[in-house]
mmCIF file of all heavy atoms in Angstrom:
data_model
loop_
_atom_site.group_PDB
_atom_site.id
_atom_site.type_symbol
_atom_site.label_atom_id
_atom_site.label_comp_id
_atom_site.label_asym_id
_atom_site.label_seq_id
_atom_site.Cartn_x
_atom_site.Cartn_y
_atom_site.Cartn_z
ATOM 1 N N GLN A 1252 157.805 246.471 84.395
ATOM 2 C CA GLN A 1252 158.520 245.250 84.939
ATOM 3 C C GLN A 1252 157.677 244.562 86.067
ATOM 4 O O GLN A 1252 157.389 243.376 85.928
ATOM 5 C CB GLN A 1252 159.913 245.716 85.510
ATOM 6 C CG GLN A 1252 160.757 244.484 85.933
ATOM 7 C CD GLN A 1252 162.094 244.756 86.324
ATOM 8 O OE1 GLN A 1252 162.386 245.850 86.870
ATOM 9 N NE2 GLN A 1252 163.044 243.882 86.151
ATOM 10 N N SER A 1253 157.308 245.330 86.992
ATOM 11 C CA SER A 1253 156.473 244.748 88.096
ATOM 12 C C SER A 1253 155.088 245.379 88.064
ATOM 13 O O SER A 1253 154.999 246.612 88.262
ATOM 14 C CB SER A 1253 157.182 245.031 89.425
ATOM 15 O OG SER A 1253 156.302 244.668 90.480
ATOM 16 N N GLU A 1254 154.108 244.614 87.651
ATOM 17 C CA GLU A 1254 152.714 245.175 87.537
ATOM 18 C C GLU A 1254 152.063 245.200 88.794
ATOM 19 O O GLU A 1254 151.656 244.179 89.445
ATOM 20 C CB GLU A 1254 152.021 244.259 86.480
ATOM 21 C CG GLU A 1254 150.558 244.615 86.376
ATOM 22 C CD GLU A 1254 150.253 246.120 86.045
ATOM 23 O OE1 GLU A 1254 150.448 246.648 84.910
ATOM 24 O OE2 GLU A 1254 149.723 246.774 86.980
ATOM 25 N N THR A 1255 152.126 246.403 89.433
ATOM 26 C CA THR A 1255 151.643 246.517 90.756
ATOM 27 C C THR A 1255 150.194 246.177 91.077
ATOM 28 O O THR A 1255 149.769 245.942 92.237
ATOM 29 C CB THR A 1255 152.002 247.999 91.315
ATOM 30 O OG1 THR A 1255 153.261 248.274 90.719
ATOM 31 C CG2 THR A 1255 152.044 248.061 92.836
ATOM 32 N N SER A 1256 149.343 246.237 90.024
ATOM 33 C CA SER A 1256 147.982 245.900 90.243
ATOM 34 C C SER A 1256 147.716 244.399 90.432
ATOM 35 O O SER A 1256 146.727 243.931 90.976
ATOM 36 C CB SER A 1256 147.043 246.438 89.084
ATOM 37 O OG SER A 1256 147.474 245.874 87.935
ATOM 38 N N THR A 1257 148.614 243.571 89.845
ATOM 39 C CA THR A 1257 148.459 242.136 89.974
ATOM 40 C C THR A 1257 149.561 241.305 90.633
ATOM 41 O O THR A 1257 149.511 240.161 90.779
ATOM 42 C CB THR A 1257 148.405 241.544 88.511
ATOM 43 O OG1 THR A 1257 149.568 241.816 87.799
ATOM 44 C CG2 THR A 1257 147.199 242.108 87.649
ATOM 45 N N GLY A 1258 150.673 242.036 90.858
ATOM 46 C CA GLY A 1258 151.812 241.398 91.496
ATOM 47 C C GLY A 1258 152.725 240.566 90.592
ATOM 48 O O GLY A 1258 153.522 239.812 90.986
ATOM 49 N N VAL A 1259 152.463 240.709 89.277
ATOM 50 C CA VAL A 1259 153.146 239.897 88.284
ATOM 51 C C VAL A 1259 154.508 240.602 87.853
ATOM 52 O O VAL A 1259 154.577 241.790 87.758
ATOM 53 C CB VAL A 1259 152.280 239.776 86.964
ATOM 54 C CG1 VAL A 1259 153.141 239.176 85.818
ATOM 55 C CG2 VAL A 1259 151.144 238.868 87.245
ATOM 56 N N LEU A 1260 155.461 239.859 87.714
ATOM 57 C CA LEU A 1260 156.760 240.250 87.128
ATOM 58 C C LEU A 1260 156.877 239.915 85.694
ATOM 59 O O LEU A 1260 156.804 238.694 85.369
ATOM 60 C CB LEU A 1260 157.974 239.578 87.933
ATOM 61 C CG LEU A 1260 159.381 240.028 87.477
ATOM 62 C CD1 LEU A 1260 159.699 241.392 87.950
ATOM 63 C CD2 LEU A 1260 160.393 238.970 87.942
ATOM 64 N N HIS A 1261 156.941 240.883 84.796
ATOM 65 C CA HIS A 1261 157.023 240.619 83.393
ATOM 66 C C HIS A 1261 158.582 240.431 83.206
ATOM 67 O O HIS A 1261 159.444 241.009 83.777
ATOM 68 C CB HIS A 1261 156.536 241.702 82.599
ATOM 69 C CG HIS A 1261 155.069 241.968 82.672
ATOM 70 N ND1 HIS A 1261 154.265 240.971 82.746
ATOM 71 C CD2 HIS A 1261 154.389 243.084 82.805
ATOM 72 C CE1 HIS A 1261 152.953 241.503 82.848
ATOM 73 N NE2 HIS A 1261 152.976 242.765 82.991
ATOM 74 N N ASP A 1262 158.830 239.463 82.194
ATOM 75 C CA ASP A 1262 160.280 239.027 81.953
ATOM 76 C C ASP A 1262 161.048 240.044 81.037
ATOM 77 O O ASP A 1262 160.927 239.942 79.795
ATOM 78 C CB ASP A 1262 160.226 237.653 81.340
ATOM 79 C CG ASP A 1262 161.668 237.069 81.259
ATOM 80 O OD1 ASP A 1262 162.608 237.757 81.450
ATOM 81 O OD2 ASP A 1262 161.764 235.841 81.004
#
Side-chain angles (χ1 to χ4, degrees):
Q1252 187 173 30
S1253 173
E1254 175 49 75
T1255 320
S1256 63
T1257 61
V1259 167
L1260 180 73
H1261 296 318
D1262 188 347

